[in-house]
Amino acid sequence: LRVFGQVVDRSRIRPLEPELAWLSESLADDHEVVASPRYRDLVDRLDALTTNPPYRRVADGRATDVLTPLVRKAYRQAADAVGAIGAHDEALDLVRRRIMRLRYAVEVVEPVVGRPAQRLRRLAKGAHALLGEPDLDGFPASWQRMTKATRWLD
């Protein structure tokens, strides 16, 4: 949702962010959360957003013209995070989050962009998985493949 903040009314999205963070943490710890009233309320609120999306005027443009620059920005943020990798776990965590954000952004544009976006999404998923491994030897090659797959963003 953050990637596409220029396209949607943030005032309607922002209240959901803490709830989505809660859901993410809860699902990691306990899958019983889906039976809670809080979860059902969140699902209802998300359903209402999909029924009546809070689009801003910019969303009236061609999808590729409007969304591609936002995906490009998500890629650049991931690239900046990769460039800052050292021996610190905090840097790796930031890279994981940025690559996940890029992957989700690409999923949104995939129906419009097609195969290039599909390839980038798959590569981002693989790179994210590699960052969870104790040995990061495969990550540089994975990142290089991802970078080549972003040419459609230019």
Side-chain angles (χ1 to χ4, degrees), residues 7 14 18 32 35 50 78 96 115 133:
V7 179
R14 199 170 288 120
E32 299 300 317
T50 59
R96 283 185 198 101
R115 295 189 81 168
E133 298 292 322

Side-chain angles (χ1 to χ4, degrees), residues 7 20 25 36 46 69 89 92 107:
V7 179
L20 291 170
E25 291 173 21
S36 74
L46 290 169
D89 285 341
L92 288 175
E107 285 179 356

Side-chain angles (χ1 to χ4, degrees), residues 17-37:
E17 289 179 358
E19 293 301 298
L20 291 170
W22 163 79
L23 179 62
S24 175
E25 291 173 21
S26 299
L27 287 176
D29 297 334
D30 179 17
H31 294 286
E32 299 300 317
V33 67
V34 297
S36 74

